[in-house]
Amino acid sequence: MEKANRTTKHKIATIGSHSALQILKGAKDEGFGTIAVCEKNRMQPYKSFRVADKIIEVSSFREFMDVEDELMAENAIVIPHATFIDALSTEKIEKLKTPYFGNKRILKWEVDRAMQRDWLKKAGLTLPGIFKNPEDIDVPSIVKFYGAKGGKGFFLAKSGDEFARKIAEHKGKAYIVQEYIIGVPVYIHYFYSPLTEEVEIMSFDRRFESNVDSIGRIAAKDQLDMGLDTSYNIIGNAPLVVRESLLPKAFEMGEAVIAASKKLEPKGIFGPFSLETVLTPELQFYVFEISARIVAGTNPYITGSPYTALRYNEPMSTGRRISREIKTAIAQGRLGEVLG
Ligand code: AMP
């Protein structure tokens, strides 16, 4: 039997990883029942933190399609995040039968880094330069692989020769070579409501990436002696509040990305997304990536951020904001508008 405080017959489901804790907690706060699809050895957090009413066990996230009938029988709406997209691939996601929050068709514009660049350019944002031909590399550059794997394996190269030496370990992988921008990395978290057509800034974060964020703890001489190569494997996220004078530009960039997305795919992007930027000493935002779904950088804000505290008189995580959007859509008879 449904609990009395349940908002609807619908339940909110996601894969147990990445930002599932706040997605499920936010869903419960909005009165939904919740389901976590978990790999056997990764269930403990979803049990211990009491966010999942039901846990469906799979031996690998790649088996998600096998539990779809069970999810549909529960009236589940699935919420994508990076692990979800990585485990299923965009092709499989397009074939999902279970109702899905967000626009599936926008995902390919994130996964393919060349298409992503096209989108950000159409939005008129300032981007790092790229080298189409790696032999031409003549400034410090970062070599990045396709997919949402959190910076694993990325490397720096200052010349074509250095690139050739380092790429040998990564045969067969698709990559992009971007100019490396020196400045402070700032990750901006947005939410766009297709119901109100309004963009919100939810929060900002900074990341801790290994080993690049620990190299500064070693003297330059020791760095050289140790023959270190930098890598960008993300370990966690920390809260950040930016200079207030940067906010108008941050809003403008979010709005430009949404407007450009509507020209790429019907409905464009909606729900949570993030722009990953480096801010130079001249306070120029260089946008080096877009994530077209919730990012783990919102995880420090399960009880809300300084920015959501301004707009909402209650704790509002990005996960909860997703469920609020679904709840509002249901109440207005517009659920189809938030499903992709
Ligand atoms: P990404 O997968 O694009 O988020 O990149 C992983 C990490 O590499 C980022 O979080 C940054 O620390 C770093 N990074 C990526 N692109 C650039 C760039 N163009 N300039 C400086 N740092 C970058």
Side-chain angles (χ1 to χ4, degrees), residues 113 116 127-129 141-142 144-145 147-152 154 156 178-183 185 187 207 209 212-213 231-234 276-278 286-291:
R113 288 189 182 263
Q116 183 179 125
L127 313 181
S141 299
I142 180 163
K144 314 204 293 193
F145 301 100
K149 280 231 165 45
K152 200 166 176 208
F154 292 8
L156 296 181
Q178 261 182 16
E179 173 193 6
Y180 189 85
I181 308 294
I182 304 284
Y187 304 81
R207 286 181 177 179
E209 293 169 325
V212 70
D213 287 315
S231 58
Y232 297 82
N233 202 2
I234 186 153
E276 306 187 6
T277 74
V278 176
Y286 277 83
V287 179
F288 62 82
E289 177 155 351
I290 182 166
S291 296

